[in-house]
């Protein structure tokens, strides 16, 4: 895991100070070393976190054997050893996965991307063709941003802060991205908070040549569900998960695992045990009776892991928020970033690499709202206009169920999902704040509005890269820690995406395929657990006096930077110690921290 940066421009060596500032800005992503290389028309920079091939042979920017190509890579190519054998004609100098991409590029050019697994964001400069080829992994695990400088330079980096550090871009606030943040609590993976700094979306490639940029999608989620029995699915599920875990354990440093005591992380730890007895596991919990630490300890004891517990007191909250804001270049409202930062910080004391159980809910059907949508789908009034009209009349006489209310309110389960689930400020509320723009991202598939699987596909292309993987990458990299996500192994993920929804969720159960395949690996307590959030509820957080004082300073002073962009008077009615209050607080904190750019 590393940080990358580059500037395409004439007389690139004149930009040595700018590229140095860029890599300095992302030193946390790669504290082990920093290197820069120059062609006539490009400066490349890299910050290294040494994971594979710790020798000088693994350093970047890395030249090919011909010196015609040079690459900067952030990420890991899982299973690279077997790919390397397919390109035996290349004269390898070391044992890194980065060099394998150069070998692939020499034979296949841009077409290599279709055969490249793993999590990655990279750029390859080909001097002979004067072309830059960039790509981002299929699910958006690694970030990639780009912009044009004031003198026509093409600039790219792992984080927005590196582009700003170049001094070549004067950022402008993106009103659409601000609207998306207010609605959903994060900026879309297709945009950045600045209108003139761009995010390369997941599963996309970018080619710069002769001053022109071409961005295109190279991968789409599988669109059709498979037909297979539960017994067939269980066998394939277990085989593919083991294979994914085995590939992601490859490193020249120790690999540990996050362990929450939930179904997903417990499954990862159980599979790691097949290959790595006495692994290190790390758990986090607030000191309150609902902490998950006791569940994590059960699994740790079952598999005899070297277990590390991190206890956190909620009165540390304000300092916790202030610690993470320098690593968030955009407004971000996910409260679990605070504990996630702490668990990454503690993990880094012992490890450089950890496995995570993220994205299990989206792949296996684990969220409670999926169950609501399942019930909405089978509800008798769902597709009948006459029945819905009758329900509207009936509700005037008697109270009807939540499911019936939502079937009346929304045209489909997809409509409900996009406009109610994980939504905060609606259209009218955003308009009252002075935000009238709207943004809805594109997808690689046309969703069936009645399909639960298509709702999960929607989350894989929207929430996962926009929220979950942003949190995972930024909080881990803030602590120079690499986090790997086995559930996003391409073979395993595609298998799960295509599973029929009845193997994921029904009226009685969620995560059916996971429960059926993995229950023998869990303890009895874990088998019977329901999903639990990471940390305390928002109401408990706002009981902290220091947080309320902090909020008043930022949100009750009309001279604060946030009120250059939203209406001060309208904002006051949302300061109710709830989630909208929290989201405004995070926006205000972000605006203050980045005021010199706004």
């Amino acid at each position: 895991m590393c940080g990358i940066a580059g500037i395409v421009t004439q007389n690139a060596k004149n930009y040595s100070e700018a590229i140095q500032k860029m890599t300095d800005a992302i030193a946390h992503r790669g504290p082990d070393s920093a290197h820069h290389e120059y062609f006539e028309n490009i400066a490349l920079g890299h910050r290294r976190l040494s994971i594979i091939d710790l020798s000088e042979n693994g350093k970047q920017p890395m030249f090919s054997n011909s010196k015609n190509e040079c690459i900067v890579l952030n990420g890991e190519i899982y299973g690279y050893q077997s790919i390397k054998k397919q390109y035996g004609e290349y004269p390898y100098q070391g044992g890194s996965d980065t060099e394998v991409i150069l070998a692939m590029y020499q034979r296949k050019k841009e077409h290599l991307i279709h055969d490249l697994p793993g999590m990655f964001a990279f750029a390859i400069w080909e001097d002979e063709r004067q072309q830059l080829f960039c790509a981002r992994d299929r699910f958006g695990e690694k970030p990639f941003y780009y912009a044009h400088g004031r003198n026509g330079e093409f600039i790219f980096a792992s984080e927005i802060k590196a582009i700003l550090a170049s001094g070549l871009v004067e950022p402008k606030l993106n009103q659409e991205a601000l609207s998306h943040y207010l609605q959903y609590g994060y900026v879309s993976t297709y945009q950045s908070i600045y209108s003139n700094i761009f995010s390369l979306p997941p599963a996309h490639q970018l080619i710069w040549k002769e001053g022109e940029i071409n961005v295109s999608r190279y991968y789409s989620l599988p669109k059709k569900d498979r037909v297979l029995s539960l017994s067939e699915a269980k066998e394939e599920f277990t085989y593919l998960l083991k294979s994914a875990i085995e590939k992601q354990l490859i490193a020249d440093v120790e690999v540990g695992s996050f362990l929450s005591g939930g179904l997903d992380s417990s499954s990862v730890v159980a599979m790691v045990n097949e290959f790595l007895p006495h692994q290190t596991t790390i758990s986090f919990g607030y000191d309150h009776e609902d902490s998950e630490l006791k569940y994590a300890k059960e699994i740790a004891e079952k598999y005899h892991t070297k277990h590390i517990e991190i206890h956190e007191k909620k009165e540390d909250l304000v300092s916790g928020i202030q610690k993470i804001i320098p690593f968030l270049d955009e407004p971000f409202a996910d409260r679990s970033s605070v504990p996630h930062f702490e668990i990454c910080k503690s993990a880094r004391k012992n490890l450089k690499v950890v496995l995570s159980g993220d994205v299990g809910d989206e792949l296996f059907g684990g969220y409670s709202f999926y169950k609501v949508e399942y019930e909405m789908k089978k509800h008798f009034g769902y597709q009948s206009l006459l029945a819905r009209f009758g329900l509207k009349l009936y509700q005037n006489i008697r109270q009807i169920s939540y499911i019936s209310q939502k079937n009346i309110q929304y045209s489909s389960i997809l409509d409900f999902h996009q406009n109610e689930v994980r939504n905060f400020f609606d259209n009218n509320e955003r308009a009252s704040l002075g935000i009238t723009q709207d943004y809805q991202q594109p997808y690689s598939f046309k969703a069936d509005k009645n399909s639960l699987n298509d709702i999960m596909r929607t989350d894989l292309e929207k929430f996962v890269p926009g929220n979950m993987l942003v949190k995972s990458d930024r909080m881990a990299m803030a602590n120079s820690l690499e986090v790997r996500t086995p559930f996003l192994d391409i073979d395993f993920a595609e298998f799960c995406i295509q599973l029929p929804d009845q193997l994921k969720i029904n009226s009685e159960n969620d995560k059916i395929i996971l429960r059926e395949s993995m229950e023998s690996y869990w303890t009895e307590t874990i088998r019977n657990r329901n999903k639990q959030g990471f940390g305390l509820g928002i109401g408990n957080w706002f009981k902290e006096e220091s947080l309320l004082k902090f909020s008043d300073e930022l949100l009750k002073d009309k001279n604060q930077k946030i009120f250059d962009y939203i209406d001060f008077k309208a904002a006051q009615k949302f300061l109710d110690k709830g989630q909208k209050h929290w989201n405004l607080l995070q926006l205000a904190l972000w605006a203050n921290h980045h005021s010199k750019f706004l």
Side-chain angles (χ1 to χ4, degrees), residues 188-434:
S188 168
T189 192
Y190 277 79
Q191 296 192 316
S192 94
I193 193 62
Y194 303 110
S195 60
N196 56 341
I197 298 178
F198 306 94
S199 168
L200 181 63
H204 281 67
Q205 61 184 19
L206 179 155
I207 295 175
W208 180 97
K209 189 175 177 65
E210 296 178 350
E212 298 294 321
I213 296 172
N214 180 267
V215 176
S216 60
R217 175 178 286 279
Y218 69 83
Y219 172 80
S220 298
L221 294 182
K223 298 173 178 64
K224 291 186 178 179
D225 297 347
R226 290 176 56 182
V227 177
L228 71 173
S229 68
L230 177 59
S231 59
E232 292 170 328
K234 285 168 60 177
E235 183 177 352
E236 194 167 347
F237 181 97
T238 306
Y239 169 78
L240 289 172
L241 182 55
K242 282 184 180 179
S243 175
I245 297 284
E246 184 177 20
K247 284 182 283 187
Q248 296 201 18
L249 287 173
I250 300 300
D252 292 326
V253 295
E254 183 184 356
V255 179
S257 299
F258 287 145
L259 177 58
S260 69
L263 305 185
D264 299 333
S265 66
S266 297
S267 299
V268 170
V269 168
M271 289 290 98
V272 170
N273 188 67
E274 303 270 312
F275 307 101
L276 191 66
H278 310 299
Q279 63 184 290
T280 298
T281 51
I282 309 103
S283 298
F284 177 95
Y286 284 103
D287 285 335
H288 62 93
E289 60 182 17
D290 294 326
S291 169
E292 291 189 292
L293 288 171
K294 57 182 177 288
Y295 303 112
K297 192 174 182 181
E298 274 193 27
I299 292 294
E301 289 175 349
K302 178 177 174 68
Y303 291 106
H304 309 289
T305 74
K306 293 174 279 186
H307 191 54
I308 301 166
E309 285 190 352
I310 304 149
H311 297 258
E312 190 74 8
K313 292 181 168 35
K314 68 181 177 67
E315 57 262 27
D316 298 327
L317 187 55
V318 172
S319 63
I321 295 168
Q322 291 175 316
K323 273 190 284 188
I324 69 172
I325 196 65
F327 302 102
L328 294 170
D329 295 341
E330 302 176 289
F332 191 70
D334 190 330
R335 289 182 294 111
S336 65
S337 347
V338 179
H340 200 73
F341 177 90
E342 295 300 333
I343 192 173
C344 289
K345 179 182 174 183
S346 296
R348 187 61 178 88
K349 294 173 184 176
N350 300 278
L351 300 160
K352 271 191 174 182
V353 184
V354 292
L355 304 187
S356 163
D358 280 349
V359 199
D361 290 311
E362 290 79 6
L363 289 171
F364 317 139
Y367 291 120
S368 59
F369 49 75
Y370 290 155
K371 221 168 206 183
V372 170
E373 289 156 354
Y374 173 85
E375 295 298 332
M376 286 177 68
K377 180 179 177 179
K378 69 174 192 170
H379 191 270
F380 75 91
Y382 179 66
Q383 290 178 329
S384 167
L385 290 175
L386 185 61
R388 290 178 71 198
F389 177 72
L391 275 172
K392 285 182 180 180
L393 294 177
Y394 186 74
Q395 73 175 342
N396 294 328
I397 305 168
R398 287 191 177 176
Q399 186 175 357
I400 59 175
S401 71
Y402 175 81
I403 299 296
S404 296
Q405 289 174 33
K406 296 307 171 185
N407 269 331
I408 292 170
Q409 186 176 351
Y410 295 100
S411 62
S412 66
I413 58 172
L414 182 62
D415 182 23
F416 167 79
H417 189 79
Q418 292 282 52
N419 294 295
E420 172 116 356
V421 172
R422 290 191 287 229
N423 270 243
F424 305 109
F425 292 88
D426 64 27
N427 286 334
N428 292 332
E429 290 168 333
R430 297 200 304 278
S432 75
L433 292 168

Side-chain angles (χ1 to χ4, degrees), residues 37 79 118 153 160 165 187 227 250 270 317 353 359 495 501 552 596:
E37 296 290 352
E153 305 95 340
I160 292 172
V187 174
V227 177
I250 300 300
L317 187 55
V353 184
V359 199
F495 168 76
D501 58 33
D552 287 350
K596 67 180 178 181

